[in-house]
């Protein structure tokens, strides 16, 4: 059994009543605020780069800034997920009731992040008139599941260990930013992309482990876990294991051989068309000179 990482780093947090609803709401609000700050700081900081300032559409600039928010969240979330999967067995003792200071913090942090994520995602969908059903479903289900877990104080094993699935997020963000910066031909992009593909395979393994734990602890889960959380657990894990993760793995493997922005295919097509037209005009102009 390992030591609670938050209490180890910040001993005074051991006296914080993290199971109190008011404290939980404060953590949610703080995470939402920090996410917004990272978003706006990345927007201001990125204006130093020509790619961001001159070549990205408004829609892509929003996605660019969200990439930084997601990357930071992915790093923090992966730490908590790995810690409580491989280092500390506190949450393994009872997959329904076991909790600790860090698990309360991590679950509430996820509520704050996914609340910000859904706010940004659906606002972007309305403003730019586009809709990604997979991303919207994934984030909405995550928000609902973490909210129930945070409020009830139950199911922290699945909620916290599931954060290890976010290990792909920082690499996905690096992939997209380098792609937009026209650096997909560099070795660093290809290395990052290979790591990303392998991490998606690791995601599949963890999701399979969740299905096994759900089956092996079904008696405890069915009797004590809130019904809403049971639906989110079974539905969310099954959706990721059978649909989302295989789809994203396939897309990233295809992207490795053909670097394109499949998050914004319509913008990619327009940019390709514009580039072709510019090249065509250049050839015509050269022909006239001859």
């Amino acid at each position: 059994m390992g030591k609670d990482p938050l209490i180890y780093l910040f001993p005074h947090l051991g006296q914080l009543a993290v199971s109190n609803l008011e404290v939980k709401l404060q953590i949610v609000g703080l995470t939402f605020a920090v996410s917004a700050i990272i978003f706006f700081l990345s927007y201001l900081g990125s204006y130093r780069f020509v790619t961001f300032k001159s070549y990205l559409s408004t829609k892509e600039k929003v996605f660019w800034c969200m990439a930084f928010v997601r990357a930071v969240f992915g790093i923090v979330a992966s730490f908590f997920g790995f810690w409580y999967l491989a280092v500390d067995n506190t949450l393994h003792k009872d997959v329904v009731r076991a909790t600790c200071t860090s698990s309360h913090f991590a679950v509430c942090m996820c509520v704050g992040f996914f609340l910000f994520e859904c706010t940004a995602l659906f606002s972007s969908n309305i403003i730019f008139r586009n809709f990604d059903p997979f991303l919207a479903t994934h984030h909405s289900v995550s928000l609902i599941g973490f909210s129930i877990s945070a409020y009830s104080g139950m199911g922290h094993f699945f909620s916290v260990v599931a954060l290890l699935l976010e290990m792909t997020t920082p690499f996905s963000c690096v992939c997209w930013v380098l792609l937009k910066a026209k650096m997909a031909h560099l070795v660093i992009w290809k290395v990052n992309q290979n790591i990303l593909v392998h991490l998606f395979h690791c995601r599949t393994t963890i999701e399979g482990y969740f299905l096994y734990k759900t089956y092996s602890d079904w008696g405890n889960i069915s009797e004590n876990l809130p019904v809403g959380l049971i639906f989110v657990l079974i539905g969310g894990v099954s959706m990721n294991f059978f649909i989302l993760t295989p789809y994203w793995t396939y897309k990233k493997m295809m992207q490795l051989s053909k670097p394109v922005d499949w998050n914004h295919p319509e913008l990619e097509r327009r940019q390709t068309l514009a580039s072709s037209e510019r090249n065509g005009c250049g050839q015509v102009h050269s022909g006239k000179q001859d």
Side-chain angles (χ1 to χ4, degrees):
M1 176 178 174
K3 190 171 183 179
D4 191 302
L6 275 185
I7 295 179
Y8 178 76
L9 294 173
F10 309 102
H12 62 281
L13 291 181
Q15 320 214 340
L16 190 65
V18 289
S19 59
N20 183 278
L21 181 59
E22 184 178 350
V23 175
K24 293 179 181 179
L25 291 175
Q26 289 175 354
I27 297 173
V28 171
L30 178 63
T31 306
F32 188 97
V34 170
S35 299
I37 290 171
I38 295 173
F39 180 90
F40 287 111
L41 286 179
S42 64
Y43 183 85
L44 294 175
S46 297
Y47 251 90
R48 299 176 56 190
F49 300 98
V50 176
T51 297
F52 182 86
K53 185 177 181 179
S54 304
Y55 297 108
L56 297 186
S57 66
T58 303
K59 180 181 176 181
E60 289 174 313
K61 288 177 181 177
V62 171
F63 200 88
W64 175 290
C65 296
M66 285 302 301
F68 285 93
V69 179
R70 291 166 179 163
V72 173
F73 171 76
I75 293 171
V76 176
S78 298
F79 167 76
F80 281 113
F82 176 79
W83 185 270
Y84 284 103
L85 174 66
V87 179
D88 192 330
N89 68 350
T90 299
L91 302 181
H92 292 250
K93 296 177 180 178
D94 188 335
V95 298
V96 174
R97 299 185 186 87
T99 64
C100 60
T101 298
S102 286
S103 71
H104 279 289
F105 177 87
V107 172
C108 292
M109 175 192 71
C110 290
V111 175
F113 168 77
F114 281 109
L115 183 60
F116 176 81
E117 179 77 28
C118 287
T119 301
L121 177 64
F122 289 114
S123 297
S124 175
N125 289 342
I126 293 172
I127 295 172
F128 300 112
R129 298 181 181 180
N130 70 296
F131 182 69
D132 184 338
F134 283 169
L135 195 61
T137 301
H138 175 265
H139 289 170
S140 298
V141 170
S142 297
L143 177 60
I144 293 171
F146 283 115
S147 296
I148 297 174
S149 183
Y151 180 77
S152 64
M154 304 183 78
H156 280 205
F157 169 80
F158 293 106
S159 297
V160 177
V161 175
L163 295 182
L164 188 54
L165 300 179
E166 294 295 333
M167 62 186 166
T168 58
T169 304
F171 295 93
S172 291
C173 296
V174 170
C175 162
W176 191 84
V177 169
L178 291 179
L179 184 64
K180 288 286 121 180
K182 309 298 182 185
M183 299 172 68
H185 63 285
L186 297 181
V187 173
I188 185 174
W189 188 87
K190 295 178 181 179
V191 170
N192 178 82
Q193 196 73 2
N194 274 285
I195 294 174
L196 180 56
V197 170
H198 287 296
L199 288 180
F200 268 111
H201 290 307
C202 292
R203 274 184 61 127
T204 302
T205 303
I206 295 171
E207 290 157 1
Y209 171 68
F210 274 6
L211 290 175
Y212 164 75
K213 287 295 289 183
T214 302
Y215 172 77
S216 61
D217 288 83
W218 179 245
N220 186 16
I221 292 172
S222 60
E223 291 179 9
N224 301 301
L225 200 64
V227 176
L229 200 52
I230 292 177
F231 278 110
V232 172
L233 172 63
I234 297 176
V237 174
S238 299
M239 178 179 64
N240 276 277
F241 184 74
F242 293 108
I243 301 175
L244 295 183
T245 299
Y247 171 74
W248 287 330
T249 304
Y250 165 75
K251 296 294 284 187
K252 289 303 178 183
M253 290 178 67
M254 294 298 294
Q255 195 179 44
L256 180 60
S257 58
K258 186 179 180 181
V260 293
D261 177 15
W262 54 274
N263 289 291
H264 306 99
E266 73 288 351
L267 295 175
E268 188 77 18
R269 285 193 295 269
R270 289 176 193 171
Q271 291 170 357
T272 302
L273 181 60
S275 178
S276 299
E277 289 177 349
R278 285 196 299 270
N279 292 335
C281 290
Q283 291 173 356
V284 171
H285 184 65
S286 299
K288 287 183 179 179
Q289 285 183 331
D290 292 334

